[in-house]
């Protein structure tokens, strides 16, 4: 848990722009195919969703608002009756396998007892109801997914632990450890095929790529949280090892460890070929397996993305911070040869991200560049001032600032795209660089073959 | 609680922010949780705004819930005051802050002690008004505030300008084609010799508001924003106002004729002559606008009697309905608006122009209405455009809520004489495409096209079509196929028929032609 001292952490005022965490319904309803997301909130929430999600809203999405009216706020109406009416309507129209209630700022402030009402209604209407409080009072953007997955973790079936010579009491919890793992803790024969569960919502094609990466090292993935369908949720319990694929899932990690007694593998996140390799290596080390062919594979990927790296090498980048992917992406970009001035981040869980942070530190040392300052809860106004001084080649920022910064001659990349693009696993390293280099390529003239990079096929 | 998938008008604070950020050098501070500042994204993206949107949030988080937000709000206000020296800071409540029931007025009073800018609290109730009503209210509040202040300080200037002049009230940021409309309106008023005194809120400095009463009269081009301010100015300063929207040939002519009245009120005294705009109207109608000639041309003849459905905000939906019916001879089967608060006015406007009036904020009702009447074209918002896509009916977008494509770089006013040209194109192109689409069907081209039930609700289809009946509709031209299929299904349902055979089809046809 020791963080190298050279990484500088700061905390600012928290006056920054980000998406409201309820935006997680946008990707989660697509991921969990038989779900329905009901956001219990006001017109403000609804208006945000319909504007942020753009055209998705026209495609009969499986999410809706339970819009609170004055009667609900002043408790003239009975919450349970109102929610029952709405949930019955949803059940009739769509018949989902699960309804996920998203609590918002308003339900927090009026103290609507969603967790209390849900089990009662669940019984009455016969559809599971999961409650996640993804509100702007407590969380930022991608942390919404964290709250949903943490709530979902309670619904996963129990893992029946078949005792071997050790017995459940003797299995030690894996510490989030950045150093080499103490291998003697683990006995290979005790690890059955089905005890690695990955958590984090990824498009199914990316999930199967990671499955494949892991399978190559003969560590098959037994399940994902979330799964494609609600009734396919993985079994959890003592003896199950879990590993996160996204940096913003600290609540889920905590829930899995404390409530479901799973063992957390603290690894860097599989973003970029370097991250993916470190991630696999860490998993292998837990299962006491010697990874094979990882170095060749990583080198191959680096070779494949050389054309992109030429464009960004030596250029500087500034992360304003809004989605918690910043540390991992910055680490990857530093390895690509970029200089990172500042990593803004909404919230920094130093325990959950420990492995990633130390990997960042090592990458900086290896690349011989000073480590960037990490600014938690940044202040956008001050950041813009700093940017005027530093004049970075690229700012990774939200939409609110993108056009104004472009008008001030700072190239920008819209940060939200990283949440929707496929960035995990070795083979998607190209996609990250495709995004990062786009504003730089737009000007042209970097390398002779850079014009039609997006059309080049992967030579693998 | 109500189940809602989509909404036409946004929450109240959006209206307030639209007004505040349209004025120059005004900063809005939202009392809101993290993530509620999505207005900045909308403005920066849709309008491709080059400047940072002058809106920040004073973030409401757990600590605020525990301790109250007074210090935080006051600090944020004085900080903004130092950083950017705005003329005014508008503290904007949101739905969250309105249930916290903190005394925001007290914070504002306190903050005013420390800061050089004027600090005001936007006075809107989140649970009672929507975006449009809030924008109207906020504009009035700001106008009232600064005029009263000028009067207290003895700075108000009430002497009329030497030549006829006008204030344009209600041009704002992200408004539907507002920038283009504003330019066209300036031309429309300028050509008959009326100068522009002020345009609010867009681009005006607050300190100049004290000169508002110097104009001879006010113009409110859109009903949704500006009426309250205009009424206030009429009551307090005796300024007449015109709230007719100059959209379409007839409305524009009417608009200019109405201008004559307030101008002539002073003109004989100040300029020694009376004005008459009849010749101007005639020239413009004949030579500048193509719309009048267009409605006489053969193209437009082809449109006669075609059916259309209209939906949008009150101003645009009413105007377009009038253009379709009176200027182009198109039959409007249904006209509707989501401005429930302005229902009475809307009803009055479209009375006798359409078969049906629908006033609702529920887009599924509009969708089902369109599916039921199957017009040849729809004129509505982005939502209607998507409804049209789904059921294969062309749609022209005539009103907000809008999309980035409704902020064209090219000159596309809806108002005035150039506006009439734009609207003609929009209407004609929508219908024309519809015809082109159907022509191949008549010659048996698009037979693979599946027939949809044209209903938006997810209904399970219980009725079974016999194979030979299934192939029967393919003999019918495409543009009526859907209707026949649906009529047959309705007939089958009414008569408890579970399988549709060719016989049933023709029975249904006989029944419907009776």
């Amino acid at each position: 848990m020791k963080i190298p001292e050279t990484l500088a952490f700061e905390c600012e005022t928290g006056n920054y722009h980000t998406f409201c965490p309820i935006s997680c319904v946008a990707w989660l309803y697509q991921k969990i195919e038989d779900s329905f997301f009901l956001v219990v909130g006001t017109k403000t929430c609804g208006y945000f969703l319909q504007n942020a999600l753009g055209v998705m809203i026209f495609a009969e999405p499986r999410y809706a608002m339970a819009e609170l009216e004055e009667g609900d706020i002043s408790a003239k109406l009975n919450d349970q009756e109102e929610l029952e009416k709405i949930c019955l309507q949803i059940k009739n129209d769509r018949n989902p396998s699960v309804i996920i209630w998203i609590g918002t700022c308003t339900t927090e402030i009026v103290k609507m007892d969603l967790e209390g009402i849900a089990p009662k209604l669940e019984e009455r209407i016969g559809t599971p109801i999961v409650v996640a409080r993804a509100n702007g009072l407590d969380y930022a953007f991608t942390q919404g997914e964290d709250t949903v997955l943490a709530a979902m973790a309670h619904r996963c079936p129990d893992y029946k632990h078949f005792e071997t010579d050790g017995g459940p009491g003797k299995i030690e919890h894996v510490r989030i450890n950045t150093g080499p793992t103490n291998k003697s803790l683990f006995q290979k024969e005790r690890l059955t095929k089905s005890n690695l569960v990955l958590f984090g919502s990824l498009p199914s094609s990316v999930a199967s790529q990671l499955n494949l990466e892991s399978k190559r090292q003969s560590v098959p993935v037994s399940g994902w949280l979330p799964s494609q369908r609600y009734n396919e949720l993985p079994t959890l319990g003592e003896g199950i090892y879990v590993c996160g694929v996204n940096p913003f899932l600290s609540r889920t990690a905590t829930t899995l460890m404390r409530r479901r007694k799973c063992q957390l593998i603290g690894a860097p996140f599989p973003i970029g070929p370097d991250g993916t390799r470190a991630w696999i290596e860490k998993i292998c080390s837990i299962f006491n397996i010697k990874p094979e062919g990882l170095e060749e594979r990583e080198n191959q990927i680096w070779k494949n993305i050389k054309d992109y790296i030429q464009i960004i090498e030596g250029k500087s980048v500034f992360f304003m911070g809004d989605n918690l992917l910043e540390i991992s992406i910055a680490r990857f970009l530093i390895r690509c040869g970029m200089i990172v001035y500042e990593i803004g981040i909404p919230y920094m869980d130093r325990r959950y991200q420990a492995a990633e942070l130390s990997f960042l530190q090592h990458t900086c040392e290896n690349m011989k560049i000073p480590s960037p300052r990490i600014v938690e809860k940044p202040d956008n106004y001050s950041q813009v001032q700093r940017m005027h001084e530093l004049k970075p080649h690229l700012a990774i920022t939200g939409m609110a600032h993108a056009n104004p910064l472009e008008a001030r001659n700072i190239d920008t990349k819209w940060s939200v795209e990283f949440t929707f693009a496929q960035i995990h696993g070795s083979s998607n390293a190209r996609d990250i660089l495709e995004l990062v280099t786009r504003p730089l390529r737009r000007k042209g003239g970097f390398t002779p073959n850079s014009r039609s990079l997006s059309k080049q096929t992967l030579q693998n | 609680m109500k189940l809602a998938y989509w909404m036409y008008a946004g929450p109240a604070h959006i209206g307030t922010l639209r007004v505040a950020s349209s004025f120059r050098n005004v900063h809005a501070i939202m009392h809101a949780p993290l993530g509620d500042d999505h207005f900045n994204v909308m403005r920066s993206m849709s309008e491709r705004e080059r400047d940072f949107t002058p809106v920040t949030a004073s973030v409401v988080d757990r600590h605020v819930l525990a301790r109250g937000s007074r210090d935080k709000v006051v600090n944020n206000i004085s900080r903004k005051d130092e950083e950017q020296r705005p003329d005014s800071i508008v503290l904007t409540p949101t739905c969250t802050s309105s249930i916290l029931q903190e005394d925001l007025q007290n914070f504002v009073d306190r903050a005013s002690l420390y800061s050089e800018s004027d600090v005001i609290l936007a006075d809107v109730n989140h649970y009672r008004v929507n975006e449009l009503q809030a924008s109207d209210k906020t504009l009035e509040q700001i106008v009232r505030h600064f005029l009263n202040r000028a009067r207290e300080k003895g700075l108000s200037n009430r002497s009329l300008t030497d030549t006829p002049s006008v204030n344009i009230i209600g041009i704002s940021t992200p408004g539907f084609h507002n920038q283009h409309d504003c330019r066209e309106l300036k031309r429309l008023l300028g050509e008959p010799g009326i100068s522009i005194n002020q345009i609010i809120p867009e681009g005006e400095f607050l300190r100049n508001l004290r000169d508002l009463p110097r104009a001879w009269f006010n113009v409110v081009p859109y009903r949704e924003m500006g009426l309250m301010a205009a009424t206030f100015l009429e009551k307090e300063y005796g300024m007449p106002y015109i709230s007719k929207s100059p959209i379409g040939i007839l409305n524009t002519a009417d608009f200019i004729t109405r201008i004559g009245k307030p101008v002539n009120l002073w003109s004989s005294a100040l300029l020694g002559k009376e004005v008459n705009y009849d010749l101007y109207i005639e020239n413009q109608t004949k030579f500048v606008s193509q719309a009048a000639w267009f409605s006489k041309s053969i193209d437009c003849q082809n449109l006669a009697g075609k059916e259309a459905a209209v939906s949008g905000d009150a101003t645009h939906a009413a105007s377009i309905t009038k253009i379709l019916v009176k200027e182009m001879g198109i039959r409007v089967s249904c006209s509707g608006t989501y401005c429930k608060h302005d229902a009475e006015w809307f009803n009055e406007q479209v009375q006798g122009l359409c078969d049906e009036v629908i006033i609702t904020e529920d887009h599924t009702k509009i969708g089902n209405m369109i599916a039921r009447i199957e017009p040849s074209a729809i004129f509505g918002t982005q939502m209607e455009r998507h409804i049209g896509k789904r059921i294969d009916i062309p749609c022209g977008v005539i009103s907000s809520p809008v999309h980035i494509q409704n902020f064209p770089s090219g000159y596309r006013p809806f108002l005035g004489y150039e506006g009439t040209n734009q609207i003609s194109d929009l209407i004609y192109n929508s219908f024309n495409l519809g015809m082109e689409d159907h022509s191949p069907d008549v010659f048996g081209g698009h037979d693979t096209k599946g027939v949809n039930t044209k209903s938006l609700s997810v209904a399970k289809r219980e009725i079974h079509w016999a194979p030979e009946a299934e192939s029967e509709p393919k003999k019918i031209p495409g543009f009526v196929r859907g209707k026949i299929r649906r009529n047959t299904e309705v007939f089958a349902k009414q008569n408890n028929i579970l399988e549709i055979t060719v016989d049933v089809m023709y029975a249904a046809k006989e029944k419907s032609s009776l």
Side-chain angles (χ1 to χ4, degrees):
Chain A
M1 233 171 288
K2 209 182 109 223
I3 306 297
E5 275 141 23
T6 34
L7 275 182
F9 292 92
E10 282 170 52
C11 188
E12 282 188 321
T13 60
N15 267 325
Y16 63 101
H17 164 79
T18 182
F19 273 18
C20 174
I22 59 171
S23 53
C24 68
V25 306
W27 62 89
L28 287 176
Y29 92 81
Q30 293 184 52
K31 176 71 197 175
I32 310 167
E33 285 165 358
D34 50 355
S35 62
F36 191 98
F37 284 79
L38 182 70
V39 182
V40 188
T42 60
K43 249 183 170 3
T44 307
C45 313
Y47 198 64
F48 162 71
L49 273 183
Q50 82 180 40
N51 278 299
L53 307 191
V55 289
M56 246 185 252
I57 208 95
F58 298 110
E60 282 215 26
R62 289 186 321 278
Y63 65 81
M65 295 291 307
E67 195 182 310
L68 301 171
E69 289 162 308
E70 212 169 7
D72 300 301
I73 305 300
S74 56
K76 279 206 188 88
L77 298 166
N78 180 308
D79 298 336
Q80 184 172 336
E81 284 165 20
E82 296 292 306
L83 280 166
E84 181 170 350
K85 247 189 312 191
I86 286 178
C87 288
L88 279 174
Q89 202 178 333
I90 291 168
K91 200 184 167 187
N92 280 340
D93 290 350
R94 309 292 181 91
N95 196 27
S97 310
V98 59
I99 299 176
I100 294 139
W101 288 353
I102 303 288
T104 61
C105 306
T106 313
T107 57
E108 280 307 297
I109 295 172
V110 302
K111 299 198 165 51
M112 193 179 285
D113 183 21
L114 294 178
E115 277 95 347
I117 300 172
K120 291 183 206 152
L121 278 194
E122 188 169 317
E123 208 164 289
R124 286 178 70 97
I125 65 170
T127 304
I129 296 172
V130 173
V131 182
R133 303 177 174 201
N135 60 66
L137 293 170
D138 301 309
Y139 305 109
F141 195 12
T142 47
Q143 287 179 292
E145 175 182 321
D146 195 18
T147 62
V148 173
L149 296 191
M152 206 82 107
H154 294 283
R155 301 301 181 109
C156 294
D158 274 325
Y159 172 66
K160 300 281 179 290
H161 185 69
F162 297 106
E163 290 185 18
T164 51
D165 50 343
K170 291 205 176 155
I171 296 175
E172 290 202 28
H173 287 236
V174 180
R175 279 171 302 192
I176 315 164
N177 198 334
T178 54
T181 318
N182 187 352
K183 283 178 189 167
S184 65
L185 278 178
F186 305 96
Q187 288 158 20
K188 200 173 178 181
E189 62 268 27
R190 206 152 70 201
L191 301 168
T192 58
K193 255 188 160 187
S194 56
N195 50 12
L196 174 64
V197 170
L198 301 181
F199 59 96
S201 159
L202 292 182
S204 55
S205 64
V206 183
S208 35
Q209 280 168 32
L210 288 185
N211 283 344
L212 201 69
E213 300 260 10
S214 175
K215 205 174 156 193
R216 270 197 203 119
Q217 307 301 336
S218 27
V219 192
V221 175
S222 66
W224 280 80
L225 172 70
S227 47
Q228 205 74 13
R229 305 184 65 81
Y230 177 72
N231 53 20
E232 289 164 6
L233 283 175
T235 52
L236 294 178
E238 224 163 314
I240 293 282
Y241 289 84
V242 291
C243 187
V245 298
N246 269 323
F248 44 76
L249 298 172
S250 52
R251 266 179 83 86
T252 309
T254 314
T255 309
L256 290 173
M257 281 192 299
R258 296 204 182 138
R259 308 296 297 275
R260 302 306 309 263
K261 307 288 179 225
C262 299
Q263 284 157 300
L264 180 74
I265 303 175
F269 301 99
I271 292 170
D274 49 342
T276 309
R277 180 181 167 190
W279 180 74
I280 287 283
E281 276 175 349
K282 186 62 195 277
I283 292 174
C284 287
S285 76
I286 297 287
F287 289 91
N288 210 5
I289 287 171
K290 195 172 177 297
E292 274 162 29
L294 277 185
E295 192 174 348
E296 296 79 51
R297 183 161 166 74
E298 194 196 346
N299 290 339
Q300 184 61 41
I301 302 284
W302 286 118
K303 225 167 87 189
N304 285 342
I305 56 178
K306 229 159 88 189
D307 45 356
Y308 278 119
I309 291 183
Q310 276 173 4
I311 302 174
I312 52 172
E313 225 168 4
K315 298 230 159 34
S316 56
V317 58
F318 190 108
F319 287 83
M320 284 187 85
D322 69 348
N323 59 16
L324 285 94
L325 292 170
E326 291 87 2
I327 301 280
S328 309
I329 294 175
R331 178 258 303 149
F332 169 55
L333 293 183
I334 290 170
R335 177 63 183 76
C336 289
M338 290 190 93
I339 297 151
V340 179
Y341 288 140
E342 177 168 325
I343 306 177
I345 186 166
Y347 169 72
M348 179 78 251
D349 185 331
R350 293 194 212 174
R351 281 200 305 174
Y352 177 63
Q353 292 222 42
E356 182 64 87
L357 283 170
S358 100
F359 195 30
L360 167 72
Q361 179 63 30
H362 289 143
T363 306
C364 288
E365 280 161 16
N366 288 342
M367 301 302 290
K368 298 191 175 53
I369 64 151
S371 45
R373 59 195 258 175
I374 298 172
V375 181
E376 211 181 337
K377 289 176 179 286
D379 185 286
N380 281 166
Y381 185 83
S382 318
Q383 284 185 313
V384 171
Q385 308 303 314
R386 289 201 285 276
M387 243 185 275
H388 282 317
E389 280 167 34
L390 295 165
K391 299 209 179 354
H393 290 101
L394 183 69
I396 295 184
T397 174
M399 278 275 197
H401 296 104
N403 269 336
L405 285 173
E406 289 281 352
R408 282 156 185 75
N409 282 323
I410 294 173
D411 284 326
T412 58
K413 179 76 229 131
W414 186 35
S415 55
V416 174
E417 275 189 81
F418 292 103
T419 13
F420 294 111
Q422 309 195 341
I423 61 169
H424 293 76
S426 299
S427 36
N428 289 318
R430 241 186 129 69
D431 289 57
I432 309 178
L433 291 184
E434 165 73 27
L435 290 178
V436 173
T437 55
R438 197 177 293 159
L440 302 169
R441 272 184 292 135
R442 192 163 66 161
K443 290 185 176 160
F446 281 102
T447 50
N449 59 346
S450 69
R451 214 168 300 146
S452 57
L453 276 178
S454 55
K455 287 185 182 162
Q456 287 178 0
T457 45
L458 254 171
Q459 301 140 8
N460 203 353
Chain B
M1 252 180 245
K2 69 174 185 211
L3 186 62
Y5 291 88
W6 204 76
M7 65 185 85
Y8 284 102
H13 71 267
I14 297 286
T16 299
L17 295 179
R18 279 178 59 181
V19 171
S21 63
S22 293
F23 278 113
R24 197 170 296 187
N25 207 24
V26 171
H27 200 99
I29 292 186
M30 298 169 69
H31 188 232
L34 197 65
D36 268 5
D37 58 350
H38 196 70
F39 177 76
N40 298 28
V41 176
M42 287 164 51
R43 204 169 107 110
S44 165
M45 289 313 296
S46 327
E47 290 216 295
R48 298 180 202 93
E49 187 53 63
R50 288 159 206 246
D51 271 319
F52 291 101
T53 306
V55 174
T56 43
S58 173
V59 178
V60 176
D61 55 16
R62 284 282 158 193
H63 302 291
V64 164
L65 292 192
R67 267 184 284 156
S69 56
R70 187 181 77 178
D71 292 342
K72 198 166 188 181
V73 170
V74 172
N75 283 342
N76 278 320
I77 292 176
S78 17
R79 185 183 154 194
K80 243 337 123 190
D81 176 51
E82 276 167 32
E83 279 168 0
Q84 290 178 303
R85 293 266 165 242
D87 294 332
S88 179
I89 291 174
V90 181
L91 182 61
T92 311
T94 59
C95 59
T96 309
S97 70
S98 62
I99 39 177
L100 283 177
Q101 297 191 326
E102 288 185 298
D103 189 0
L104 294 180
Q105 186 58 53
N106 176 17
F107 303 172
V108 162
D109 294 341
R110 259 189 100 80
S112 327
L113 298 177
Y114 307 116
S115 55
E116 282 179 30
S117 15
D118 254 296
V119 189
I120 35 182
L121 172 68
D123 176 26
V124 287
N125 182 324
H126 243 266
Y127 293 90
R128 297 199 181 150
V129 296
N130 65 21
E131 167 190 352
L132 303 173
Q133 293 160 291
S135 65
D136 202 13
K137 180 97 204 291
T138 308
L139 185 58
E140 190 250 12
Q141 195 196 344
I142 290 178
V143 166
R144 181 191 293 266
H145 179 86
F146 285 92
L147 282 178
N148 285 348
R149 159 144 322 180
R151 195 150 58 181
E152 280 163 22
K153 290 188 178 166
L155 288 171
S156 65
N157 186 349
R158 298 180 65 172
S159 59
L160 285 189
T161 52
D162 300 339
T163 55
S165 66
V166 64
N167 298 319
I168 301 174
I169 301 180
I171 304 288
S172 86
T173 182
F176 184 73
H177 292 240
N178 269 203
Q179 303 300 332
H180 311 293
D181 281 353
C182 181
R183 197 165 126 198
E184 185 63 21
L185 205 51
K186 279 196 228 169
R187 190 168 91 175
L188 189 66
L189 292 157
E191 278 172 353
I194 297 160
S195 59
I196 308 293
N197 184 49
Q198 281 183 1
I199 298 168
I200 58 166
E202 186 61 42
E204 192 55 82
F205 283 106
L206 291 174
R207 56 174 176 274
N208 295 342
L209 287 183
R210 59 167 189 255
D211 289 334
L212 271 178
R214 297 199 64 199
W216 291 24
F217 63 105
N218 293 320
V219 161
V220 182
Y222 317 107
R223 295 187 61 73
E224 286 71 30
M225 187 199 295
L227 273 183
M228 282 180 80
T231 323
F232 163 76
L233 288 167
E234 186 184 42
K235 229 174 165 178
E236 297 281 311
Y237 295 86
M239 299 177 76
Y241 70 90
I242 296 164
S243 66
K244 186 89 197 171
S245 310
I247 302 178
I249 296 262
L250 296 172
N251 277 343
T252 309
D254 192 10
F255 174 80
I256 297 177
T257 313
R258 285 182 193 213
I259 289 174
K261 211 177 144 203
V263 172
N264 279 332
L265 202 64
W266 298 101
S267 168
S268 41
L270 291 171
L271 304 174
K273 59 171 184 189
E274 292 246 325
V275 295
N276 187 332
Y277 298 129
D278 292 350
L279 194 64
Y280 173 75
I281 295 173
E282 201 185 317
N283 277 336
Q284 292 288 314
T285 310
K286 269 190 189 158
F287 303 114
V288 175
S289 169
Q290 300 294 317
W293 161 239
F294 174 77
S295 56
K296 276 181 77 87
S297 72
I298 295 298
D299 281 339
C300 197
Q301 206 181 73
N302 284 338
L303 299 183
K306 282 205 171 299
E307 281 181 73
V310 181
S311 161
D313 63 19
T315 302
H316 288 89
S319 308
I320 296 292
T321 305
K322 192 169 175 189
I323 293 172
L324 288 169
V325 176
K326 290 201 171 165
E327 297 179 18
M328 297 189 161
I330 291 161
R331 180 168 162 200
V332 176
S333 317
C334 183
S335 178
T337 181
Y338 56 84
C339 297
K340 272 169 107 171
H341 60 277
D342 214 8
E344 206 177 313
W345 178 86
F346 187 79
N347 268 319
E348 206 176 280
Q349 292 300 305
V350 298
Q351 204 53 253
L353 296 181
C354 57
D355 306 344
E356 238 182 287
V357 179
I358 181 167
I359 290 167
T360 178
E361 289 174 320
D362 183 351
H363 76 278
T364 55
K365 281 192 184 142
I366 299 275
N368 289 337
M369 177 272 289
I370 291 172
R372 178 169 48 82
I373 60 178
E374 292 182 65
S376 312
I378 312 165
F379 298 96
T381 68
Q382 281 294 333
M383 183 38 101
E384 281 73 42
R385 191 170 73 84
H386 283 268
I387 292 170
K389 249 189 187 169
R390 210 142 100 204
I391 55 179
D392 221 2
I393 297 175
C395 175
V397 176
I398 53 138
S399 152
S400 50
V402 285
H403 194 249
I404 190 152
Q405 71 184 35
N406 300 114
F407 292 91
S409 313
Y411 188 48
R412 301 252 192 284
F414 265 63
L415 299 187
Y417 287 108
E418 179 53 31
T420 61
N421 294 338
Q422 297 292 340
I423 294 173
S424 297
D425 284 348
L426 180 77
I427 292 176
Y428 182 66
N429 290 345
S430 306
F431 279 107
N432 193 30
L433 292 174
M435 278 301 288
E436 268 174 23
D437 196 35
H438 290 317
S439 311
D441 280 340
V442 180
F443 301 105
H446 289 181
D447 254 0
T448 48
K449 208 188 271 175
V451 186
N452 56 55
T453 54
K454 305 228 168 182
S455 162
L456 286 162
S457 51
V458 252
K460 282 169 221 138
R461 190 183 292 174
E462 301 137 2
I463 297 168
H464 176 69
W465 283 71
E468 78 275 11
E470 190 83 54
S471 61
E472 200 61 20
K474 290 180 184 152
K475 297 176 188 162
I476 308 160
F479 55 94
V480 285
R481 206 181 285 156
K483 207 164 205 165
I484 287 184
R485 175 138 196 161
R486 203 168 48 86
N487 285 346
T488 311
E489 286 188 358
V490 169
F491 172 81
K493 247 183 212 162
Q494 282 168 348
N495 294 287
N496 279 330
I497 299 169
L498 289 176
E499 187 177 65
I500 294 173
T501 57
V502 181
D503 289 346
V504 176
M505 269 189 74
Y506 285 103
K509 188 170 180 252
E510 276 161 32
K511 186 84 186 298
S512 64
S513 50
L514 279 178

